[in-house]
Amino acid sequence: MATVMQWEQLLSTRRFKHVDGRIEPSRSLPGEPDAGLRSDFHVDHDRVVFSSAFRRLGRKTQVHPLAQNDHTHNRLTHSVEVACVGRSLGNRVGAMLAMDNRLPAGYSAFDIGAIVQVACLAHDIGNPPFGHTGEDALRVWFRHPDHARYLVGLSDAERQDIQTFEGNAHSLRMVSSLEMYGREGGMRLTSASLGALTKYPWTSDTFPARGKFNLYRSELDYFAAVATELGLPRHGQHHWARHPLVYLMEAADDICYAILDLEDAVEIDIIDVREFEALLTPLAEIDRVWSTDDPRQKCAMLRGMAVGKCVSNVADRFMAHHDALLDGEFAAKDLLAVCTGRVSDALSAAKELASRKVYRHPSKLVTEIAAYPCLATLLDILVPSAHAYISHPQRTLSPRDATHLALLTPKLEADDSLYQAYMKILDFIGGMTDNHAARLARQLSGVGLV
């Protein structure tokens, strides 16, 4: 019989840290959380918001790379809006759990909202410059036959990680290894928040055909401790069931990008406001948008009403499938797939319109094409030099390689393995903003010298 997850465990506030290669519980700092002022989940929220990685999202692509229009979304504004929708979803589900006497003692409906909000804030924190195109550019470089020699000596699992840069996995790596307590547990978020963040709780080699995953080998032991604390059932050696609140984070993200990508497209004249209105008016359950002819205000009014309808329906669907979600046996692709026809049809139509008219628009394609040589320029310099350093018995470098690696932060250390060296390079490049990556590649090519 499958293990059924329990809310008492799923809402765990326990934090973990790295100590001499071991994963151990981490005590809160004195006065944290502040009695009566900040809950454990509010501490999580503040740690994400005040991180430099979160701040850098302001200069990272959402849909339109290096957009010149100040009203279009970047990854920061997208993440904040997803967090607002996620909090509403979590609060609503929390209230329903409380009404059904399913919410453990000591927790409120707002705790559920806070957990989902934290996961939403951090869900894109590991995205590289140029968004999904940047992910593919990093993969393409490491998979090129001419670069195979740099991968000799890596295990199959390590090679799979290096060749499959994944923003979801880097988000978990950012909060659990890189930011705040660097290499010692990262932000040390609560287990509940980490569980709600981990959309794909398996390693890169578990389902290589799927592409998406959350667990690099470097974070595997850390997540295993979190999964045990949360009571997530194992579906395989390196594969766990999803935390139920992941589905709310995922739904909040899907709702926002389906609707807001089109709102951006209206803003920059890729689609007509009448297309936006025709698509969302049925979902908002109104005959027409009244009182304004301003396209921006019309979009804002429609978006607000449409998102409200989605939140209500998704929360209802969560509760309708509550037992399957806690069994780890929810069969549908996501919660939107089991929503009412009005919601699922409208969001599917929105995604189809965006795919047809927005994502392949020439203004976007040019920058996407340029992302490949841009990131390749950085890898062409850093990877061979890192390989030379790790491969040399005395860990010595030529002056040229030493100059190349002086760019890297954090620096390579004498006891780094080849895998660790490459992960540092991916951390360095993946953490760049679009502007910084483009500017540095231009300078390193020699074009920026004059």
Side-chain angles (χ1 to χ4, degrees):
M1 183 176 177
T3 302
V4 178
M5 290 177 270
Q6 304 293 328
W7 284 115
E8 288 85 354
Q9 284 185 271
L10 291 169
L11 302 181
S12 172
T13 59
R14 176 165 285 181
R15 306 171 189 274
F16 289 93
K17 62 182 178 181
H18 298 278
V19 179
D20 298 327
R22 303 184 310 278
I23 310 300
E24 296 183 356
S26 171
R27 292 180 297 176
S28 295
L29 296 174
E32 191 179 59
D34 303 311
L37 299 178
R38 290 199 301 170
S39 73
D40 284 283
F41 307 126
H42 291 150
V43 172
D44 287 351
H45 171 280
D46 294 350
R47 289 183 178 185
V48 173
V49 167
F50 280 92
S51 68
S52 59
F54 185 73
R55 188 163 58 250
R56 289 196 298 270
L57 293 176
R59 290 289 186 170
K60 291 198 177 188
T61 292
Q62 171 57 20
V63 172
H64 306 286
L66 304 172
Q68 300 301 308
N69 189 309
D70 290 340
H71 287 278
T72 57
H73 290 78
N74 53 49
R75 287 285 171 182
L76 181 62
T77 51
H78 168 74
S79 296
V80 170
E81 290 174 348
V82 172
C84 290
V85 175
R87 182 186 59 210
S88 295
L89 278 169
N91 287 346
R92 193 176 185 91
V93 166
M96 292 175 173
L97 290 172
M99 287 179 63
D100 286 352
N101 295 315
R102 299 179 194 246
L103 198 62
Y107 291 94
S108 74
F110 300 115
D111 287 324
I112 305 296
I115 293 168
V116 179
Q117 182 182 29
V118 171
C120 291
L121 284 171
H123 83 284
D124 272 349
I125 206 168
N127 271 39
F130 312 114
H132 294 305
T133 302
E135 286 181 309
D136 191 56
L138 294 170
R139 295 172 184 176
V140 164
W141 194 96
F142 276 106
R143 292 174 182 176
H144 196 285
D146 289 349
H147 303 144
R149 65 186 183 276
Y150 298 123
L151 304 178
V152 174
L154 295 175
S155 69
D156 290 343
E158 290 173 338
R159 186 180 300 108
Q160 185 76 24
D161 277 3
I162 298 301
Q163 290 184 316
T164 318
F165 185 100
E166 170 55 45
N168 291 287
H170 245 80
S171 290
L172 182 64
R173 178 169 168 81
M174 192 68 71
V175 300
S176 63
S177 294
L178 303 180
E179 283 279 338
M180 196 169 172
Y181 298 100
R183 315 287 175 185
E184 295 180 2
M187 297 182 191
R188 299 183 187 173
L189 303 182
T190 62
S191 294
S193 293
L194 289 170
L197 170 65
T198 308
K199 191 174 175 181
Y200 308 104
W202 51 77
T203 54
S204 60
D205 56 325
T206 300
F207 301 111
R210 294 189 189 179
K212 293 185 179 297
F213 62 96
N214 260 105
L215 308 180
Y216 287 128
R217 291 287 161 160
S218 50
E219 280 67 56
L220 182 56
D221 290 344
Y222 190 92
F223 184 78
V226 170
T228 299
E229 173 66 20
L230 295 171
L232 303 184
R234 276 186 183 266
H235 290 336
Q237 184 181 7
H238 300 139
H239 176 200
W240 287 264
R242 279 175 153 197
H243 191 295
L245 296 183
V246 162
Y247 290 92
L248 297 182
M249 181 270 284
E250 179 181 47
D253 187 27
D254 284 349
I255 291 167
C256 285
Y257 83 72
I259 296 174
L260 295 170
D261 285 358
L262 293 183
E263 190 174 357
D264 280 351
V266 172
E267 179 70 38
I268 59 178
D269 297 322
I270 292 179
I271 66 171
D272 190 273
V273 67
R274 288 170 293 185
E275 293 179 274
F276 188 86
E277 186 174 1
L279 193 101
L280 291 188
T281 297
L283 176 56
E285 297 182 335
I286 57 175
D287 295 328
R288 62 186 179 85
V289 180
W290 62 95
S291 76
T292 181
D293 292 323
D294 182 344
R296 188 178 294 164
Q297 290 301 317
K298 186 175 288 190
C299 287
M301 292 169 64
L302 267 174
R303 175 241 304 148
M305 289 183 281
V307 169
K309 297 294 183 182
C310 290
V311 166
S312 177
N313 195 222
V314 168
D316 289 344
R317 292 297 85 202
F318 183 97
M319 294 305 297
H321 294 272
H322 175 275
D323 292 348
L325 290 166
L326 265 69
D327 288 347
E329 301 295 339
F330 182 61
K333 176 180 178 288
D334 51 39
L335 285 174
L336 296 183
V338 296
C339 282
T340 60
R342 187 185 296 272
V343 169
S344 62
D345 291 349
L347 294 182
S348 294
K351 293 177 183 179
E352 190 279 329
L353 178 60
S355 178
R356 179 163 44 88
K357 286 196 170 183
V358 180
Y359 300 146
R360 298 291 90 188
H361 193 271
S363 64
K364 178 173 168 58
L365 292 176
V366 170
T367 306
E368 286 189 352
I369 291 169
Y372 289 87
C374 171
L375 298 187
T377 296
L378 304 179
L379 291 169
D380 285 342
I381 288 173
L382 293 171
V383 172
S385 295
H387 183 268
Y389 176 72
I390 298 298
S391 302
H392 198 283
Q394 281 75 46
R395 295 291 201 259
T396 56
L397 286 168
S398 69
R400 182 178 184 180
D401 287 334
T403 302
H404 290 172
L405 293 183
L407 287 171
L408 192 62
T409 304
K411 306 301 182 188
L412 297 189
E413 299 174 4
D415 59 349
D416 280 340
S417 66
L418 189 62
Y419 174 74
Q420 290 169 326
Y422 290 165
M423 289 302 293
K424 285 184 177 181
I425 291 173
L426 291 175
D427 294 339
F428 177 63
I429 296 177
M432 291 181 181
T433 63
D434 295 10
N435 291 345
H436 180 51
R439 183 170 56 251
L440 183 59
R442 183 174 183 271
Q443 292 170 336
L444 294 176
S445 70
V447 175
L449 287 177
V450 179

